Amino acid sequence: MERVDVIVFAAHPDDAELAMGGTIARLSKEGKKIMIADLTEGEMGTRGSVELRREEAAAASKILSVNIRENLKIPDGNILLSDDNLRKVVGLIRKYRPSIIFAPYKNDRHTDHIDTFHLIKKANFFAGVGKYSVIIDGQQSEFYRASKIFYYMQTYEFDPTFITDISAHFQEKIAAIKAYGSQFYSPGQTGPETMISSKGFFDYIEARAKVYGFRIKKEYGEPFFCEEDIELDLSNYLKGF
Ligand SMILES: [Zn+2]
């Protein structure tokens, strides 16, 4: 199995696009191999069906040039820190051997996002424990741990460890979010209004990208948090001046 550079873990289809669609587009356009792993099919969502969201996720992946998208089919609203779920995620990490993992920040309005944080953090740790046995395709998997987990921002804000410049990819991010026609505002769309289906939601997405862009003197940005220190390569940094 060919390894990937990055796995973006998300509780629901559309979370990855909303929180870091610009960063995904930027990395994939630079030739990095990107995988999005949605933990659930979003079947508890107020709007849209599982089938529709599956089609929408495929369309969004295409816009962002994502190489692989998998769905772990964990029940929506019930992302338990169970042995079964842990093995699913550890199996994926060991199979695709990403250098970096992205996951939801530790606190959020939606408790599925918090549960995903705990599951991914534990899974990346145990993926690197030799005696933690997971069978993949009938074979004992080799232990492997991604070097870092970077956490992305959903509803609740945090002080970022770093911000990525997504100015050149903001439009792709918006196009990928709009691919989820059942979830977000589109003229003439029917169904009960939710927080994210209101007309003002896209203004909010743009405003946040502008705020974090401004903080790094760019047009648009996406914020991330890391629990560990990150080295800054000063020589490389100085080349940017
Ligand atoms: Zn979500």
Side-chain angles (χ1 to χ4, degrees), residues 14 41-54 56 76 180-184 189-192 194 197:
D14 75 23
E41 295 190 288
E43 68 271 19
M44 296 283 276
T46 311
R47 295 155 66 100
S49 63
V50 167
E51 292 71 33
L52 189 55
R53 290 187 82 168
R54 207 174 287 152
E56 291 169 347
D76 191 8
Y180 292 89
S182 70
Q183 303 300 304
F184 302 103
Q189 182 80 32
T190 53
T194 62
S197 73

Side-chain angles (χ1 to χ4, degrees), residues 120-134:
I120 302 310
K121 181 167 178 173
K122 186 164 184 177
N124 191 46
F125 185 80
F126 277 92
V129 172
K131 286 185 177 171
Y132 187 78
S133 156
V134 176

Side-chain angles (χ1 to χ4, degrees), residues 11-15 110 112-113 154:
H12 313 105
D14 75 23
D15 284 358
H110 199 319
D112 278 357
H113 301 163
Q154 297 193 265

Side-chain angles (χ1 to χ4, degrees), residues 16-236:
E17 289 84 352
L18 278 170
M20 54 175 293
T23 305
I24 293 170
R26 180 175 170 171
L27 291 173
S28 62
K29 297 290 147 60
E30 286 170 2
K32 300 288 184 256
K33 281 211 154 26
I34 314 285
M35 171 181 202
I36 297 179
D38 300 309
L39 267 50
T40 77
E41 295 190 288
E43 68 271 19
M44 296 283 276
T46 311
R47 295 155 66 100
S49 63
V50 167
E51 292 71 33
L52 189 55
R53 290 187 82 168
R54 207 174 287 152
E55 286 168 25
E56 291 169 347
S61 301
K62 214 169 180 184
I63 292 166
L64 299 179
S65 305
V66 170
N67 301 84
I68 310 168
R69 188 157 198 152
E70 287 217 8
N71 196 298
L72 299 185
K73 298 193 164 93
I74 293 170
D76 191 8
N78 197 22
I79 301 172
L80 301 175
L81 199 56
S82 64
D83 196 48
D84 198 33
N85 288 344
L86 196 60
R87 277 171 203 285
K88 276 188 181 179
V89 180
V90 168
L92 209 68
I93 294 169
R94 287 183 177 175
K95 188 172 172 184
Y96 290 99
R97 307 171 82 80
S99 306
I100 296 168
I101 283 174
F102 288 89
Y105 182 65
K106 61 190 169 192
N107 198 12
D108 201 56
R109 171 178 173 269
H110 199 319
T111 52
D112 278 357
H113 301 163
I114 301 171
D115 293 342
T116 301
F117 163 85
H118 290 290
L119 181 60
I120 302 310
K121 181 167 178 173
K122 186 164 184 177
N124 191 46
F125 185 80
F126 277 92
V129 172
K131 286 185 177 171
Y132 187 78
S133 156
V134 176
I135 308 292
I136 304 174
D137 304 328
Q139 289 202 324
Q140 186 62 247
S141 58
E142 251 182 80
F143 66 92
Y144 175 85
R145 185 179 294 144
S147 71
K148 287 268 189 284
I149 307 180
F150 295 147
Y151 299 101
Y152 51 75
M153 187 180 284
Q154 297 193 265
T155 306
Y156 291 176
E157 303 210 339
F158 51 73
D159 277 332
T161 307
F162 65 91
I163 296 169
T164 56
D165 172 16
I166 60 156
S167 307
H169 300 280
F170 181 70
Q171 294 312 325
E172 285 155 82
K173 174 184 175 119
I174 292 298
I177 295 170
K178 285 190 171 167
Y180 292 89
S182 70
Q183 303 300 304
F184 302 103
Y185 177 79
S186 55
Q189 182 80 32
T190 53
E193 184 165 293
T194 62
M195 184 182 91
I196 59 174
S197 73
S198 66
K199 198 166 185 283
F201 189 70
F202 279 102
D203 297 335
Y204 168 66
I205 294 289
E206 178 161 20
R208 178 183 273 178
K210 281 196 166 176
V211 165
Y212 287 100
F214 185 78
R215 285 169 66 163
I216 53 166
K217 297 189 173 69
K218 298 287 159 63
E219 194 177 3
Y220 295 108
E222 283 172 341
F224 296 92
F225 180 81
C226 185
E227 293 179 309
E228 293 165 5
D229 295 323
I230 298 171
E231 178 194 347
L232 174 66
D233 179 349
L234 272 179
S235 315
N236 205 31

